[in-house]
Amino acid sequence: MDVEADRDLELVRQAVEGAKGLPNNHYIDQATYEEEREVLLFNNWAGIGLGSDIPNPGDVSPVNFAGMPLLMVRNHEGDIQVFQNTCRHRGMKLVEKNCNLRGTIRCPYHSWSYNLDGSLRATPHVGGPGMNIDKHIVREDLGLTKINTHIWRDIVFVNVSGTAPTFREYASKLLKRWHEHEQPMYHGGPVSGFNFDVACNWKLAVENYCESYHLPWIHPGLNSYSRLEDHYHIEEPGHFSGQGTLVYRQIIGEKGEKFPDFKNLSKFWNTGAEYIVLFPNVMLATQRDHGYAIILLPQGPERTIERNEIFYSFDPETRPDLKALIEKNSVQWRGVLEEDLFVVEGMQKGRHGIFFDGGKFSPVMDSPTHVFHKWVGDKLHASRYGNT
Amino acid sequence: MSIPDFEKYNQLVLDLFEKEKFEELACLYLEWGKRLLALGKLDEGCFFLTQGYVLALEHGMEEAVEIYEILKNHERED
Ligand code: FES
Ligand SMILES: [Fe+2]
């Protein structure tokens, strides 16, 4: 790494008062994107999809995670495992689209076949036509590459490098903070999931999500009942950051109906709600009656797919009376989250200005964003030079 | 191959592939493979049985067990 890039990172890693933001190359440059892909996305626990993408045993779903072909599999026992979506023979991509498999995963090229636990089951004609064994083909050594997988709040997390601590350790501070919500959460169904295809680097979505400074200008509607002074910063350096509110109000339906609360919550949650980014790429909301997750799927330095998914304390199938409210809630959140899109796309455009120096943080208002930048800077520094 | 009905089977295989009727195709391969074995054509028989085996595995068909046994008996599968 060149001296200039190192000096830039040193500025990012300082205390917020003196720090600069990450410079332009972290948003527009392919080589930096690839370094961050490995250091930030692959070496940590990142979200790639939902358990409800593959609801039934035998369901498989391919995911392009920052260019890496992955395959989410729900086996016949109902457990989820992620594999590299690449055949061990000649490297063919195994599965192109979501489907349900009753038996094996058959490679579309020469039909090597894998069990849903990834083990290699059949190698047709590998020793010549009609001869399916060969002493040099050791099936035990040729299973699909397993990716460390953990499911939390129905989000499928992966640690691609296999070098991170367990997910529960990695996210322990957040699990502790939100321990009261460690209870079943149910996806609201098709209306409760919507994607945005956004022309920005994935980090800009994180940076915007974890600060409340922009609320009065970007979400004036939200601001009318959620004033800036009712918000507080959430900062857990090295792990997550975000914002909380003290004046959360439940959405109410035409007939006065409300969503049922999660069980046994303390009084704080009557009007408290928290919006946190678990680094690197999962933006979460926790509230008394529902929550959501936004999974950022980077598509290149300047393009990101945002998957927005809303979860409830109850199984929507059991409450047809709340169907209209679930729809109304989706429309409302979609509206709010859409208001952020021109901002993140605008910051992306702004980063093509060659004199932009990473920007100046407000020590009072921008510190959660700086917590994220410092995490990025620290991780990159440690990867380049070891933990110094 | 000078086996009766070759053309007919060949056309059926192509049709089933085209229509992605893989379970029927697995059964057809099984039948054809067994016929070849009965005629003493071991390599060809095992070739088509293998085709049937892989499709039967993919589609969770019980025929996979039967085909596996035949292939294993001929030392074509572990
Ligand atoms: S590449 Fe998959 S079987 Fe050959
Ligand atoms: Fe926002």
Side-chain angles (χ1 to χ4, degrees):
Chain A
M1 278 297 144
D2 57 54
V3 179
E4 207 178 319
D6 283 346
R7 205 192 50 225
D8 288 342
L9 271 196
E10 282 320 303
L11 288 170
V12 171
R13 297 171 67 216
Q14 292 187 10
V16 64
E17 293 78 7
K20 287 255 168 69
L22 289 160
N24 288 347
N25 62 305
H26 290 262
Y27 301 87
I28 64 177
D29 171 60
Q30 183 68 26
T32 311
Y33 172 77
E34 282 166 18
E35 182 188 14
E36 291 187 346
R37 183 177 97 121
E38 184 183 327
V39 176
L40 306 180
L41 297 170
F42 289 177
N43 288 356
N44 295 294
W45 283 96
I48 61 162
L50 295 186
S52 47
D53 296 339
I54 43 172
N56 302 309
D59 282 349
V60 299
S61 174
V63 178
N64 173 342
F65 180 52
M68 169 98 173
L70 297 177
L71 183 66
M72 305 196 297
V73 175
R74 190 184 289 272
N75 67 21
H76 293 299
E77 286 70 53
D79 299 323
I80 293 174
Q81 175 67 50
V82 176
F83 299 99
Q84 179 170 263
N85 192 7
T86 304
C87 181
R88 293 294 303 275
H89 175 222
R90 298 289 306 124
M92 177 77 185
K93 184 177 177 188
L94 285 169
V95 178
E96 275 291 348
K97 53 182 199 284
N98 286 14
C99 58
N100 181 267
L101 299 174
R102 270 179 295 148
T104 49
I105 302 166
R106 179 173 67 83
C107 176
Y109 197 178
H110 312 93
S111 288
W112 284 23
S113 299
Y114 301 89
N115 292 311
L116 296 190
D117 66 3
S119 55
L120 180 57
R121 175 76 173 273
T123 48
H125 316 308
V126 76
M131 172 52 87
N132 305 317
I133 44 183
D134 180 282
K135 69 174 192 300
H136 299 288
I137 305 294
V138 181
R139 289 184 190 166
E140 290 72 41
D141 298 341
L142 292 168
L144 294 181
T145 305
K146 265 194 178 143
I147 305 295
N148 282 356
T149 306
H150 187 91
I151 314 301
W152 177 63
R153 285 194 175 189
D154 200 41
I155 302 162
V156 179
F157 285 89
V158 294
N159 169 224
V160 172
S161 68
T163 56
T166 64
F167 178 83
R168 295 209 78 82
E169 232 174 292
Y170 181 82
S172 60
K173 288 187 184 330
L174 183 59
L175 297 180
K176 194 161 161 222
R177 184 180 188 102
W178 283 350
H179 69 277
E180 291 180 44
H181 283 80
E182 282 292 302
Q183 42 185 304
M185 290 197 184
Y186 302 86
H187 192 265
V191 293
S192 301
F194 45 92
N195 293 2
F196 300 140
D197 191 338
V198 195
C200 76
N201 183 277
W202 63 276
K203 297 192 300 302
L204 289 174
V206 172
E207 295 166 25
N208 174 62
Y209 189 79
C210 60
E211 56 108 315
S212 53
Y213 192 10
H214 71 282
L215 298 185
W217 307 107
I218 307 304
H219 309 294
L222 179 72
N223 186 49
S224 63
Y225 57 85
S226 182
R227 296 166 307 158
L228 199 51
E229 59 267 37
D230 297 321
H231 284 83
Y232 57 93
H233 297 333
I234 298 171
E235 298 179 17
E236 192 59 64
H239 301 276
F240 58 81
S241 64
Q243 49 168 315
T245 175
L246 301 170
V247 291
Y248 173 71
R249 291 215 217 136
Q250 284 183 279
I251 187 171
I252 300 175
E254 305 278 289
K255 303 185 198 93
E257 69 273 29
K258 292 180 183 172
F259 296 127
D261 290 331
F262 289 101
K263 293 191 179 57
N264 305 320
L265 297 182
S266 56
K267 253 177 48 203
F268 167 81
W269 293 101
N270 286 348
T271 56
E274 295 198 328
Y275 306 89
I276 287 177
V277 186
L278 178 60
F279 305 153
N281 75 326
V282 179
M283 320 202 292
L284 297 152
T286 292
Q287 304 162 150
R288 61 187 285 176
D289 56 350
H290 72 283
Y292 61 79
I294 304 173
I295 301 171
L296 302 172
L297 297 172
Q299 306 293 308
E302 306 200 57
R303 188 174 156 228
T304 302
I305 306 253
E306 290 188 12
R307 280 195 63 174
N308 307 275
E309 308 288 346
I310 307 176
F311 294 89
Y312 294 92
S313 65
F314 57 95
D315 181 351
E317 302 266 301
T318 65
R319 293 295 302 268
D321 55 314
L322 292 174
K323 191 164 174 262
L325 192 57
I326 287 176
E327 276 173 32
K328 180 178 171 182
N329 195 37
S330 285
V331 170
Q332 182 167 311
W333 274 119
R334 193 187 178 111
V336 171
L337 295 168
E338 266 171 356
E339 289 170 348
D340 287 305
L341 298 183
F342 95 93
V343 173
V344 292
E345 292 190 333
M347 286 197 287
Q348 183 68 35
K349 290 177 194 159
R351 276 160 177 72
H352 286 275
I354 60 170
F355 301 117
F356 182 65
D357 61 355
K360 181 70 188 156
F361 294 114
S362 154
V364 176
M365 298 307 292
D366 288 321
S367 52
T369 306
H370 177 255
V371 168
F372 176 62
H373 276 218
K374 184 159 169 20
W375 179 80
V376 171
D378 287 348
K379 291 283 180 198
L380 291 173
H381 183 86
S383 140
R384 290 174 192 173
Y385 305 105
N387 271 312
T388 54
Chain B
M1 233 178 298
S2 57
I3 302 174
D5 302 334
F6 176 79
E7 278 311 324
K8 190 183 100 194
Y9 270 85
N10 193 41
Q11 195 51 51
L12 268 174
V13 165
L14 293 175
D15 286 350
L16 292 173
F17 242 113
E18 169 92 24
K19 294 183 186 129
E20 301 189 2
K21 293 190 169 173
F22 294 118
E23 289 167 62
E24 282 176 52
L25 188 54
C27 294
L28 190 69
Y29 276 135
L30 170 57
E31 190 186 321
W32 186 246
K34 280 180 176 169
R35 272 184 72 184
L36 291 168
L37 285 189
L39 292 170
K41 295 182 177 289
L42 184 62
D43 285 345
E44 286 135 310
C46 287
F47 175 84
F48 289 107
L49 287 168
T50 298
Q51 295 289 104
Y53 179 52
V54 164
L55 293 177
L57 282 178
E58 183 185 13
H59 295 277
M61 297 164 64
E62 58 190 25
E63 283 81 356
V65 179
E66 179 192 349
I67 308 177
Y68 172 80
E69 290 301 332
I70 304 174
L71 290 170
K72 188 162 165 62
N73 285 338
H74 290 102
E75 296 177 338
R76 304 302 179 110
E77 190 45 79
D78 297 304

